Amino acid sequence: MVKAVVGANWGDEGKGKITDMLARESDIIVRFQGGANAGHTIVNNYGKFALHTLPSGVFYTHTANIIGNGVALNIPILTEEIKSITDRGVPAPRILVSDRAQIVMPYHILQDQYEEERLGGKSFGSTKSGIAPFYSDKYAKIGFQVSELFEEELLREKVAGVCEIKNVLFTHLYQKPAIDPEELLAALHKYKEMIAPYVCDVSAYLAQAIRDGKTILLEGQLGTLKDPDHGIYPMVTSSSTLAAYGAIGAGIPPYEIRQIITVCKAYSSAVGAGAFVSEIFGSQADELRRRGGDGGEFGATTGRPRRMGWFDCVASKYGCRLQGTTDVAFTVLDVLGYLDEIPVCVGYELDGKITTEFPVTAKLEQAKPVFKMLPGWKSDIRGIREYENLPENCREYVEFIESQIGYPITMVSNGPGREDIIYRKSVLQK
Ligand code: GDP
């Protein structure tokens, strides 16, 4: 049984918490895309952790945690992250890295920084983790697969070839120092030693696991609106954030993915540039940001304050549709308990008409939000375990949003911990 946990929106929906929670009943957790550019925050009995590269199953001793071929693998960050959790008392996790995963090279990180400097104010809000140059090189067919670290002659040749291209860019376009091929090769030798204990033929491993009836959890990073095809291009990430890509980025048949749990947060937040129709500003935004998530809405990787907004039914309906949602996990609902009234964006005003279909980027920039006010519940809902015990206005908020997006909300998260979850049967469930 393969399940995917993915985001409906701009990321930071609380996927880490849901994955950590579901990992208890899973055998294998797989990261299938993205890199160390975004983070998941997880709160459990070992403490609070921000993971960037490790799958969110690493806190259990019964799980295998896989970095799939679709991931942008930053080897030093992976090694540091393993150390950072084991230093805090977490038992050494079982980690497998695909021999086909490609490596984020030191020059990708430099290129990302140089490009941001060059663009100045017109930048895309990159986290400068080398992700965009990494994926460009992957598709330009000058990337390095993990398996190539173990082929010395090939490695030497490829390094020389790539340095030729990169050094034209570095010295001429960016006016920066050239890369020394020998230094680069030495770094790759170190990478080889660091990664050797984890390398695995992941697709073969997963094929066997599927035959053995294991439960596999695909863990997505970011959300639909950051997908390079279906998101707010060009303000997107460089790898697909959709559950469908889980099949490719892990190396399994698409029809094996039976459950797609799309995570939606009870309000909106976004990082980086780009249109954000239900965005709010000023003291209203500051208050939601301060109260949001678990200790405020600030980036897990960058510490940047997130942009804040009300729940957006248009974006979330679209986000759920593209994921192929079977279940919605509705998170961080507890945070809204302070509000007298809660605005919800139910439509976009565009060219004098109201639409509930998410438009292409050029149109999105012109869209104005249409808000509906729902009554607040003015109480703390943390600790409640039964859906019926939630305040009536709170249930109405959940049910209103469910009816707008059209996908069943089967889980409601009312706190950051593993146990802060309410399961419910939705009228939309088949
Ligand atoms: P991810 O990237 O989708 O995993 O999301 P993040 O980890 O960046 O952001 C989610 C934040 O919300 C984290 O700080 C979580 O601990 C926290 N969180 C998750 N679910 C809940 C919830 O139901 N209530 C509260 N208050 N915080 C939550």
Side-chain angles (χ1 to χ4, degrees), residues 11-17 39-43 48 265 293-294 296-297 300 306 331-335 382 413-416 420:
D12 307 319
E13 298 94 348
K15 295 176 296 295
K17 177 237 158 104
H40 293 309
T41 314
I42 294 172
V43 184
K48 183 171 177 174
K265 191 154 64 178
D294 178 36
E297 289 282 359
R306 292 176 180 152
T331 59
V332 207
L333 186 59
D334 50 300
V335 160
R382 280 209 196 177
S413 171
N414 61 339
D420 297 319

Side-chain angles (χ1 to χ4, degrees), residues 85-195:
I85 65 164
T86 50
D87 280 355
R88 287 174 60 193
V90 178
R94 184 139 179 260
I95 292 165
L96 301 170
V97 175
S98 167
D99 52 4
R100 291 175 182 274
Q102 294 204 9
I103 304 160
V104 176
M105 305 291 268
Y107 55 76
H108 287 139
I109 296 161
L110 292 172
Q111 194 179 331
D112 216 349
Q113 286 165 3
Y114 298 163
E115 182 61 11
E116 285 277 302
E117 274 174 42
R118 190 181 74 86
L119 290 171
K122 291 206 173 95
S123 78
F124 290 80
S126 160
T127 56
K128 304 183 196 68
S129 331
I131 301 300
F134 166 90
Y135 281 107
S136 311
D137 284 357
K138 177 173 175 176
Y139 294 107
K141 293 171 281 190
I142 53 168
F144 288 75
Q145 287 193 337
V146 165
S147 59
E148 291 173 332
L149 291 175
F150 300 86
E151 306 292 334
E152 185 56 26
E153 218 170 295
L154 174 107
L155 197 64
R156 196 168 268 282
E157 243 172 65
K158 267 188 91 161
V159 161
V162 167
C163 282
E164 247 174 60
I165 305 173
K166 292 290 170 191
N167 283 341
V168 173
L169 198 69
F170 278 26
T171 57
H172 293 282
L173 180 64
Y174 299 126
Q175 315 277 321
K176 299 282 184 186
I179 311 163
D180 174 1
E182 287 306 319
E183 247 175 61
L184 180 58
L185 204 56
L188 294 182
H189 290 153
K190 283 208 191 95
Y191 284 10
K192 174 177 142 184
E193 273 167 44
M194 290 156 110
I195 207 69

